Amino acid sequence: MRNDHGLCACGSGLRGVRCCALDLSMLPPPEAARPPIPVVERAEELHRQNNRAEAGKLCREVLELAPGQPEALSLLYRIHAEAGLESAANALLRRIVTLHPNTFWATNELTLALLKKGASPRPRSTPATRYASRRRTRNRTI
């Protein structure tokens, strides 16, 4: 049996079932996340006052209730990135891009993080892929 109460291995501070092991099909519609907005606004205010610990705590509380809440995810990402928790920040960034793919800043940040790690957005060329590419080109001309 899986331990649903343990913290996620990525280091975000969220339970695994509310983070990397989240079943996206179980998320409520975005309108259901409206009540936590004042809590997220309070967390933003605490973050501006450099009280990252309390701001992070409020974000985690919101994400326990509404795991896809974009503002809470974004703020928690910033908190972890500023603290140098790269693994947790990248996990949150991936979740933002997965849940809200039209969020340009998050997509851009994730691309930069992947490039920084040396990950290529395109598949690497191998002898097998080069051979397959040449073969397709020859077949078109025949």
Side-chain angles (χ1 to χ4, degrees), residues 42-62:
R42 174 71 180 135
E44 288 275 0
E45 183 180 320
L46 288 168
H47 182 253
R48 281 191 296 275
Q49 297 169 358
N50 288 325
N51 189 347
R52 291 187 187 110
E54 191 62 30
K57 180 182 173 191
L58 288 177
C59 287
R60 284 188 290 276
E61 288 175 8
V62 167

Side-chain angles (χ1 to χ4, degrees), residues 114-141:
L114 290 173
L115 289 172
K116 180 179 166 187
K117 284 176 69 174
S120 174
R122 293 183 295 177
R124 292 201 171 111
S125 178
T126 64
T129 57
R130 286 191 298 270
Y131 174 75
S133 176
R134 283 192 306 245
R135 189 174 175 142
R136 269 182 280 153
T137 305
R138 283 187 200 143
N139 287 340
R140 283 189 205 144
T141 59

Side-chain angles (χ1 to χ4, degrees), residues 57-108:
K57 180 182 173 191
L58 288 177
C59 287
R60 284 188 290 276
E61 288 175 8
V62 167
L63 292 170
E64 279 293 320
L65 299 172
Q69 214 288 332
E71 288 83 7
L73 284 169
S74 299
L75 180 56
L76 193 57
Y77 159 74
R78 288 197 319 261
I79 291 168
H80 285 310
E82 290 168 0
L85 302 171
E86 190 175 323
S87 169
N90 286 342
L92 290 163
L93 197 53
R94 286 178 197 274
R95 177 142 37 118
I96 293 167
V97 170
T98 300
L99 296 174
H100 310 284
N102 293 330
T103 307
F104 175 76
W105 73 265
T107 305
N108 191 42

Side-chain angles (χ1 to χ4, degrees), residues 4 72 132:
D4 289 346

